[in-house]
């Protein structure tokens, strides 16, 4: 135990003894600059400098166009163009489906499979639109039973931890 104490005292003494940094003029030996330092001060300043340098570098890379040169990052223009093209392709797919349905209906009329009186462009286009199915969002009996079972297990687990804390 005393060895550890001696090592700590030696380390403390090394870290906090004051040293002088002197810069001299080589020709005249005139003191140009003088500074009193401890090893701890040098360590703290170097650590803060490193942290500051890392933070500035991260900021520059994250918030400037330099990030486009890092693999995995795409340019904002490229992302904007990709989104725009995805929207256009979706709308073109929808228009294509409507046109396909319209053309197939016209073909049916021309081949005689469909009476002309039943032919209506609006009804054909309305039939091609996808409708969202309404589903029952209420929980089933099995789901309600599972919820009750899980709730009981949670309460049991909480009561066991409370008993352990009291002991």
């Amino acid at each position: 135990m005393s060895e550890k104490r001696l090592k700590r005292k030696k380390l403390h003494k090394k870290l906090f003894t004051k040293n002088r940094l002197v810069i001299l003029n080589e020709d005249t030996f005139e003191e140009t600059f003088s500074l009193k330092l401890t090893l701890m001060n040098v360590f703290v300043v170097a650590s803060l400098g490193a942290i500051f340098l890392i933070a500035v570098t991260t900021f520059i890379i994250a918030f400037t166009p330099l990030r486009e040169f890092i693999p995995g990052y795409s340019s904002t223009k490229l992302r904007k163009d990709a989104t725009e093209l995805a929207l256009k392709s979706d709308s073109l797919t929808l228009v294509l489906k409507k046109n396909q349905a319209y053309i197939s209906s016209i073909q049916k009329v021309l081949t005689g499979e469909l009476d002309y009186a039943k032919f209506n462009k609006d009804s054909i286009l309305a039939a091609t639109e996808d409708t969202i199915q309404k589903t029952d969002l209420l929980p089933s009996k099995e789901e309600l039973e599972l919820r009750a079972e899980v709730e009981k297990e949670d309460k049991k687990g909480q009561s066991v931890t409370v008993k352990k804390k009291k002991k």
Side-chain angles (χ1 to χ4, degrees):
M1 186 92 151
S2 63
E3 263 184 51
K4 287 184 181 180
R5 187 177 269 171
L6 286 174
K7 285 182 181 179
R8 283 186 195 159
K9 284 186 179 182
K10 285 181 182 179
L11 180 63
H12 185 271
K13 188 175 183 180
K14 284 181 184 178
L15 286 176
F16 291 103
T17 54
K18 291 189 178 182
N19 299 311
R20 179 174 284 205
L21 174 68
V22 178
I23 299 177
L24 297 174
N25 187 346
E26 184 70 27
D27 296 331
T28 62
F29 293 109
E30 179 184 349
E31 186 177 314
T32 308
F33 180 73
S34 176
L35 187 64
K36 288 184 182 179
L37 297 171
T38 64
L39 195 57
M40 182 59 107
N41 289 347
V42 173
F43 177 72
V44 168
V45 168
S47 298
L48 290 175
I51 290 170
F52 178 73
L53 187 64
I54 290 169
V56 167
T57 305
T58 303
F59 180 79
I60 288 173
I61 290 173
F63 297 109
T64 61
L66 282 176
R67 70 173 172 249
E68 294 173 13
F69 295 110
I70 298 174
Y73 282 100
S74 59
S75 68
T76 53
K77 184 181 183 298
L78 182 65
R79 258 188 272 151
K80 182 181 173 186
D81 290 346
T83 306
E84 193 174 306
L85 289 174
L87 291 173
K88 282 183 182 179
S89 66
D90 287 345
S91 63
L92 287 175
T93 304
L94 184 63
V95 169
L96 182 66
K97 282 182 183 178
K98 287 182 179 181
N99 284 342
Q100 292 282 348
Y102 183 68
I103 290 171
S104 66
S105 297
I106 290 176
Q107 284 177 344
K108 286 181 183 178
V109 168
L110 292 176
T111 58
E113 294 175 14
L114 188 67
D115 294 337
Y116 182 75
K118 294 181 182 177
F119 181 73
N120 185 1
K121 182 179 178 180
D122 293 333
S123 64
I124 294 169
L125 295 179
T128 62
E129 291 181 8
D130 295 332
T131 57
I132 298 173
Q133 299 288 334
K134 292 186 179 181
T135 58
D136 185 21
L137 298 177
L138 298 175
S140 64
K141 285 184 180 180
E142 293 86 15
E143 187 176 351
L144 291 173
E145 290 172 2
L146 179 65
R147 287 181 186 179
E149 185 179 324
V150 169
E151 193 173 310
K152 285 179 186 177
E153 288 178 8
D154 285 345
K155 286 182 182 179
K156 286 180 185 177
Q158 289 175 354
S159 65
V160 169
T161 55
V162 169
K163 287 178 184 177
K164 286 182 180 178
K165 287 182 181 178
K166 287 182 181 179
K167 290 181 181 180

